[in-house]
Amino acid sequence: MTDQHCVIIGASHAAASMAATLRQEGWEGSITMVGEEAHPPYHRPPLSKAALIGDKDAASLAIRPRDFYDAQGIVLRLGVRAESIDRQAQRVALSDGSSLAYTRLALMTGALPRRISLPGSDLSGVHYLRDMRDVDAIRAGLKPGSSAVIVGGGYIGLETAASLRSAGMQVTVLEAMSRVLQRVTAPEVSAFFTRVHEEEGVTVVTDTTVSAFHGEGTLTGVTCSDGREFAADLAIVGVGVVPDTSLAEAAGLEINDGIVVDEFARTSDTHIVAAGDCTRHYNPVYDRWLRLESVQNANEQARTAAKTVAGNPVAYHALPWFWSDQYDIKLQIAGLSAGYDEVVVRGDIAQGRSFSLFYLSGGRLVAADAINRPRDFMAAKRAVLDGSRPAPAALADESLELKAVFEG
Ligand SMILES: Cc1cc2nc3c(=O)[nH]c(=O)nc-3n(C[C@H](O)[C@H](O)[C@H](O)COP(=O)(O)OP(=O)(O)OC[C@H]3O[C@@H](n4cnc5c(N)ncnc54)[C@H](O)[C@@H]3O)c2cc1C
């Protein structure tokens, strides 16, 4: 052991990846992971999917077994919040009154649900969904036949709608924009998901904003700005997240809608790295700055951070990818579609539940949404990185092997 000490703040996907990679990369110093939640890092995506309506707890969703941390000499300080960073003294103050000296610090503080402040938004029965505490609170209100309103038709909102519907609830999704998933997909994919949810018995209402929650102490309904009212025993608000930069900001690090990091995950202080949902970084594949909210980014950027800290720096160069599970549908997304000027559909988008949609920009493949088509997803991931320029007609032709189409 050396007198080196890496303190990791946050105990989720990025932190778990950082700690494990530090050891793999030969870091011999101490490692302490500080997490506000009571649990060692657990998989967060299942919280809106199967785990929301099942009986899974944080232990059964654990990213690593508890004894992994002991075996690797990783000290867990859980249920404790890092309150402030003294960069001069290289010390972090914790909420239990103690403090930790560090030689290297890793900020992996993630993101927080965007909150809405409306009449009645603090009523019992109105929830957000980010961690296990939220899941426990939502589960307590689950009753087959009762009504749920989901505020926001993004991935989390739609996944939650699918889960609650599968649990036998009457579900309404309220979306402010003219279509669900507007921020992330083409209109064709939005229409597909609306169709699927309606086939499953969910009511999807677009172009509507919630103006109030009402009830006597407990939620009974939701009112929209156009005057429409929806009965609700449960409301789940899923209107996006904001990066949790409070600690970094108070410490004077550079922030720009996320902690700004370079390709080696270094912040504006060379002793401090950061990774995951809390960061903004430059992505060489798309030649632009990105703030991502994905497990892929949390894991891979944290690996980059760990390599930097361990003295084996390798620049972060990754294709973003994402997934979403709703009913019998596995959506896998390769790349980022922003800036596309053409889409090509392969398969039956109008009636079926298996197709891929490819996004092209100036003839070049930039992204793909694969619905129940894992092979298309894998092929598209490679093709985006290769800079493939597939012929649109060939891309749509299912009699042709996709890999060959990408290779031109
Ligand atoms: C319901 C849900 C479903 C999702 N589904 C998917 C999916 O299907 N696919 C996908 O790729 N991504 C999905 N995501 C997003 C994914 O979970 C996040 O991108 C990922 O968790 C980011 O990991 P992270 O480690 O950066 O941050 P987080 O997971 O946000 O963890 C940050 C941790 O740091 C702790 N923390 C913050 N500040 C402090 C402090 N000062 N002191 C101590 N601890 C602190 C927080 O309490 C939190 O536990 C989903 C997210 C949610 C909420």
Side-chain angles (χ1 to χ4, degrees), residues 34-35 61 115 135 159 182 192 204 215 225 252 257 273 279 282 292 309 316 340 352 367 376 382 389:
V34 180
L61 297 174
R115 304 229 155 218
V135 168
E159 288 179 357
Q182 177 149 331
F192 166 77
V204 179
S225 42
D257 182 33
V273 293
T279 65
Y282 173 78
L292 297 171
V309 168
Y316 183 45
Y340 72 89
D376 286 9
R382 268 191 305 272
R389 306 179 78 83

Side-chain angles (χ1 to χ4, degrees), residues 6 39 57 66 70 75-76 100 114 170 250 262 272 285-286 295 317 380:
C6 181
H39 318 282
D57 57 10
R66 179 89 200 208
D70 300 335
V75 177
L76 300 180
L100 291 170
R114 189 184 301 280
Q170 301 300 321
D262 68 11
I272 307 179
V285 180
Y286 290 100
V295 167
H317 183 289

Side-chain angles (χ1 to χ4, degrees), residues 163-181:
S163 299
L164 298 185
R165 185 69 195 130
S166 306
M169 295 189 79
Q170 301 300 321
V171 181
T172 303
V173 175
L174 303 178
E175 166 57 47
M177 312 297 267
S178 59
R179 59 185 175 91
V180 298
L181 301 175

Side-chain angles (χ1 to χ4, degrees), residues 183-205:
R183 198 169 60 91
V184 282
T185 58
E188 292 85 343
V189 179
S190 299
F192 166 77
F193 276 102
T194 298
R195 167 170 70 80
V196 166
H197 279 274
E198 288 175 349
E199 284 170 3
E200 299 288 344
V202 169
T203 305
V204 179
V205 185

Side-chain angles (χ1 to χ4, degrees), residues 16-80:
S17 170
M18 169 92 197
T21 310
L22 270 177
R23 288 294 183 229
Q24 284 159 14
E25 294 290 317
W27 173 263
E28 291 182 352
S30 316
I31 302 174
T32 304
M33 192 189 291
V34 180
E36 190 183 10
E37 293 185 63
H39 318 282
Y42 58 88
H43 291 280
R44 212 172 282 283
L47 302 190
S48 49
K49 306 177 180 77
L52 184 63
I53 53 172
D55 54 5
K56 287 208 181 318
D57 57 10
S60 58
L61 297 174
I63 292 174
R64 302 270 188 179
R66 179 89 200 208
D67 54 11
F68 169 84
Y69 301 98
D70 300 335
Q72 295 289 319
I74 298 162
V75 177
L76 300 180
R77 297 283 301 270
L78 301 172
V80 182

Side-chain angles (χ1 to χ4, degrees), residues 10 12-14 36-37 44 49 82 110 130 156 277 294-295 323:
S12 183
H13 288 278
E36 190 183 10
E37 293 185 63
R44 212 172 282 283
K49 306 177 180 77
R130 184 73 194 175
I156 297 220
D277 280 17
S294 74
V295 167
W323 78 94

